[in-house]
Amino acid sequence: MPIVLKLVGKPLYSICLDLPEHGFSSHLTPGIPYHFMDLLSSIRRATTLLGWDRFHIIGHSLGGLLGYYFAASYPKMVEKLIVIDAVSFKMYPFQYQLNFTRGSGNEILASEKKEQERNGNLPTYTFETELNKIAQSRGTKMTDIGLKTLASRNIQPSEGFENSYYFTIDHRLKFMNFPILYHEDAIQIMKQVKCQVLVIAGNACLGSKKE
């Protein structure tokens, strides 16, 4: 992980987790939605299996938010937290919460119906088309190296076909259930983070504003 060497200046033993529904990790059973807090327990399970009781966390976007929650939940375990392009939690006005919940539920049902109609046949694309789809989904410009790195963990070749690939990521990720917080809730969670925190935000990341 080159970014580790740049941030700490020396080699460290590091692992990169494929969270549930990401990369090569298994997907949940159809009909079961993904919950943010379940991903938090996946990190705890991994560190338990590794026998780690003190470590650093580097997280980008969703991984950064998980890093905040983990450091707040297990303050004695996290020595340093590095968060990339993730500054705060999802916060919605009260009147929007029910709309969000209803819309998410409807989208999950529509997605599952589409999967059933495919009868297990995943859509396939050329490698170049897959890279283009990844680039469009990010919302910000990425380097060719970055795109190919993401592709290496999110697409697989379709057996028996030349230059034919399918996405391994679970599309239910788009409808993940996040904790709905008020500003006061987010502040209280942040106050429980006792370790050193480094926040890195790109000048072209999602949600950034041009001065």
Side-chain angles (χ1 to χ4, degrees):
M1 295 176 64
I3 192 172
V4 175
L5 296 178
K6 290 182 179 180
L7 291 174
V8 302
K10 61 180 180 180
L12 289 177
Y13 182 83
S14 59
I15 64 168
C16 184
L17 289 178
D18 276 344
L19 293 168
E21 95 271 342
H22 288 81
F24 300 149
S25 288
S26 301
H27 296 179
L28 293 180
T29 303
I32 300 178
Y34 287 98
H35 293 269
F36 178 86
M37 301 305 292
D38 292 337
L39 301 186
L40 191 71
S41 65
S42 297
I43 299 175
R44 184 69 182 94
R45 184 180 299 275
T47 57
T48 298
L49 291 173
L50 290 167
W52 291 2
D53 56 13
R54 187 74 173 169
F55 47 85
H56 309 292
I57 292 180
I58 299 178
H60 171 256
S61 190
L62 173 64
L65 295 179
L66 285 167
Y68 280 132
Y69 255 97
F70 194 94
S73 301
Y74 304 97
K76 293 183 179 180
M77 297 186 70
V78 182
E79 186 171 345
K80 293 180 181 179
L81 171 63
I82 300 171
V83 177
I84 305 171
D85 285 345
V87 178
S88 184
F89 305 94
K90 281 180 175 284
M91 289 177 281
Y92 300 101
F94 176 77
Q95 64 271 21
Y96 181 70
Q97 293 186 23
L98 295 180
N99 292 337
F100 175 81
T101 302
R102 180 172 59 251
S104 178
N106 291 338
E107 288 174 336
I108 290 174
L109 292 175
S111 177
E112 290 178 351
K113 182 179 179 181
K114 186 181 293 185
E115 292 293 332
Q116 291 174 353
E117 293 172 348
R118 289 176 179 157
N119 196 28
N121 297 316
L122 297 173
T124 59
Y125 310 92
T126 64
F127 184 74
E128 293 73 18
T129 301
E130 293 272 18
L131 289 182
N132 186 52
K133 284 182 171 292
I134 292 174
Q136 292 178 347
S137 70
R138 304 309 297 177
T140 55
K141 187 176 181 180
M142 293 188 63
T143 64
D144 290 340
I145 294 177
L147 286 173
K148 290 179 180 178
T149 300
L150 282 178
S152 70
R153 306 303 300 175
N154 288 284
I155 68 174
Q156 285 288 297
S158 181
E159 294 185 7
F161 298 92
E162 185 177 352
N163 194 23
S164 180
Y165 298 82
Y166 63 91
F167 283 105
T168 60
I169 194 169
D170 193 330
H171 293 287
R172 285 175 292 174
L173 173 64
K174 295 184 291 186
F175 318 121
M176 180 182 294
N177 290 315
F178 286 88
I180 299 178
L181 305 174
Y182 295 104
H183 288 275
E184 294 77 9
D185 300 325
I187 291 172
Q188 291 304 314
I189 291 175
M190 293 290 194
K191 286 183 177 181
Q192 301 309 310
V193 177
K194 307 302 182 182
C195 64
Q196 291 181 309
V197 179
L198 172 63
V199 178
I200 302 173
N203 57 12
C205 65
L206 290 176
S208 62
K209 297 181 180 180
K210 294 182 178 180
E211 297 296 337

